[in-house]
Amino acid sequence: MTETARSWLNSLNSLYTPTSTQFDAAKSHRASIESRLDAFLGVYEMFEIGSLRHGTGVWQHSDADYMVSLKGVRPSSPWTMLNRVKETLQARFQGTTIGVSRPAVVCYFSDGVVEVVPAYPSDSGYWIADPADGWMKSYPKSHNKYVNDVNTKHNGAAKALARQLKIWKYLRNVPISSCYLEMRAAKHLEGESTYLPFWDLYLALNKMYDANLAAMNDPTGLGSRFGACSSEAKRLDALSKLGSAVVRANKARDFESDGKDAHAIEQLKLLFNR
């Protein structure tokens, strides 16, 4: 039986959907990380965040991510917080490479990577290190609820679309924030009455291109804007690759609409570098 473009796209999504056990090894370090930080810095809570927890992770690319809410007074510089957490964990896991990639402290365990985002609680949300500079507010629980609500409205499509955008990012080496892609996918589908896989993949990419990958307003109205890239050079690189993606997604949409599945699949393979 001839493969359809829709079945090809579904297979791609399935291939890059992590199983429930693939990150068990990395997650097994949670208790020891929390115990160490609580003993030396004081911890209010530590909870899983990021794409794996949220159901938009990408196999072979996503890490186990946690936010740790710290006790004490928030220092003037987030680097003070990040370095304290790094040094505290390095003393505990001496054979493990541990680095800082704002806003996270990254632990490269032999059986998996764990990213720890240190934070200080506030009346609403958490203060974390801004990837650009200084401090920023983060609302991971509220943002997860927003994406979940849109996802429920479209029977799982918001997370499927977000994963497709992330697969494109990783396979095409696009220097763009995964969080930005997820929020863009949800924001796009929030305004749609139905989900059409090829149309919505094209439209989500095209909207970002038309916006020149500008920072987007927090759709929950709670936090600051979501930035797409960590530098202007990376934004220009991502924008160039996004332009090619828009052209290929548009061609795939047209071919699929015309029943030319083989041609649509060719464009999808170019889009996702498969």
Side-chain angles (χ1 to χ4, degrees), residues 200-266:
D200 289 311
L201 176 59
Y202 160 70
L203 289 172
L205 290 165
N206 192 54
K207 284 180 179 180
M208 290 189 289
Y209 186 73
D210 284 346
N212 286 309
L213 287 177
M216 67 176 289
N217 292 329
D218 183 346
T220 68
L222 291 171
S224 56
R225 290 159 66 83
F226 289 94
C229 306
S230 60
S231 70
E232 178 62 9
K234 289 183 178 180
R235 188 189 71 86
L236 293 175
D237 180 22
L239 194 61
S240 174
K241 293 173 179 175
L242 179 58
S244 298
V246 169
V247 171
R248 291 160 177 165
N250 190 31
K251 289 181 178 179
R253 180 199 65 171
D254 286 343
F255 282 133
E256 195 273 339
S257 178
D258 291 340
K260 299 177 180 179
D261 287 287
H263 293 298
I265 291 172
E266 287 178 6

Side-chain angles (χ1 to χ4, degrees), residues 62-74:
S62 297
D63 303 323
D65 300 309
Y66 297 93
M67 179 171 283
V68 56
S69 176
L70 299 173
K71 295 179 180 179
V73 179
R74 177 166 62 95

Side-chain angles (χ1 to χ4, degrees), residues 67-70 74-75 78 81 103 117-130 134-140 224:
M67 179 171 283
V68 56
S69 176
L70 299 173
R74 177 166 62 95
M81 171 190 68
V117 179
Y120 284 93
S122 69
D123 292 340
S124 63
Y126 301 86
W127 288 106
I128 66 171
D130 189 321
W135 294 94
M136 65 178 286
K137 276 286 191 73
S138 177
Y139 302 85
S224 56

Side-chain angles (χ1 to χ4, degrees), residues 5 7 42 51 80 83 108 114 130 134 162-163 169 191 218 224 230:
S7 66
S51 57
T80 302
N83 287 329
Y108 298 93
V114 178
D130 189 321
R163 179 175 285 113
K169 158 200 164 84
D218 183 346
S224 56
S230 60

Side-chain angles (χ1 to χ4, degrees), residues 5 9 12 20 47 56 93 95 101 111 119 122 131-132 152 154 170 179 181 183 185 203 234 248 259 263:
L9 191 58
L12 180 78
S20 59
F47 54 94
T56 59
F93 305 105
S101 178
D111 53 1
S122 69
T152 299
H154 288 287
Y170 289 121
C179 181
L181 293 175
M183 299 308 290
L203 289 172
K234 289 183 178 180
R248 291 160 177 165
H263 293 298

